Amino acid sequence: MDQIKTGKFISEMRKDAGLTQRQLADMLGISDKTVSKWERGVSLR
C-alpha cells in the first residue's frame, strides 16, 4: 500500500467534508497527531 497516496486521499476527503484534522480525530476517537501522520504518509496505524 502506498502510504503517500493513502495520506493524500485521506486529506482530500477530510477537506471535501469541511473538517479539520482535530474534528476528524474527534469523530474517530484518536488524536489529531495521528491524522496528521496519516496525511503525511508517515504512519497508517
Side-chain angles (χ1 to χ4, degrees), residues 1-2 4-6 9-10 16-18 21-25 28-31 35-39 41-42 44:
M1 181 182 306
D2 186 337
I4 300 297
K5 285 184 181 179
T6 302
F9 176 77
I10 292 169
D16 286 349
Q21 288 182 345
R22 165 72 76 191
Q23 290 169 325
L24 178 58
L28 297 173
I30 58 174
S31 74
V35 174
S36 175
K37 287 180 182 179
W38 289 350
E39 291 185 359
V42 175
L44 293 178

Side-chain angles (χ1 to χ4, degrees), residues 8-35:
K8 286 181 182 181
F9 176 77
I10 292 169
S11 178
E12 289 173 10
M13 293 297 104
R14 174 183 61 79
K15 290 175 184 177
D16 286 349
L19 297 172
T20 64
Q21 288 182 345
R22 165 72 76 191
Q23 290 169 325
L24 178 58
D26 288 345
M27 291 172 71
L28 297 173
I30 58 174
S31 74
D32 56 336
K33 290 182 181 183
T34 300
V35 174

